[in-house]
Amino acid sequence: MAAVVHVNSLLNGKDSRWLQLEVCREFQRNKCSRQDTECKFAHPPANVEVQNGKVTACYDSIKLNTEKNQII
């Protein structure tokens, strides 16, 4: 039954877990030496809520950044 609920939520587009990014642990300790663009983990600004070590990305932001980075 749980699998059916999961599939239904994916099909309905309401499952936002794929938008969750793990926050850099070193960044949280102010010790990450990488730039935001070089680190594979999120470096969220102070006004972004972190829950269980993750942040939820804005779909429109990802879409916009993807479109900007497309090779024409």
Side-chain angles (χ1 to χ4, degrees):
M1 177 80 175
V4 173
V5 172
H6 180 65
V7 170
N8 284 339
S9 64
L10 287 173
L11 293 175
N12 291 331
K14 296 179 182 176
D15 185 0
S16 63
R17 287 181 289 177
W18 68 276
L19 291 170
Q20 293 180 349
L21 303 169
E22 188 173 344
V23 176
C24 176
R25 293 179 186 165
E26 297 297 315
F27 176 77
Q28 289 178 316
R29 296 182 194 115
N30 294 321
K31 298 197 185 269
C32 186
S33 60
R34 297 177 194 90
Q35 297 290 328
D36 292 354
T37 56
E38 295 174 343
C39 187
K40 69 178 186 175
F41 300 106
H43 286 202
N47 65 324
V48 174
E49 183 180 355
V50 177
Q51 294 181 342
N52 298 323
K54 295 183 179 183
V55 293
T56 302
C58 171
Y59 174 75
D60 290 337
S61 174
I62 293 171
K63 183 179 172 186
L64 181 63
N65 285 331
T66 302
E67 289 173 356
K68 285 182 182 178
N69 293 325
Q70 284 182 340
I71 298 174
I72 299 174

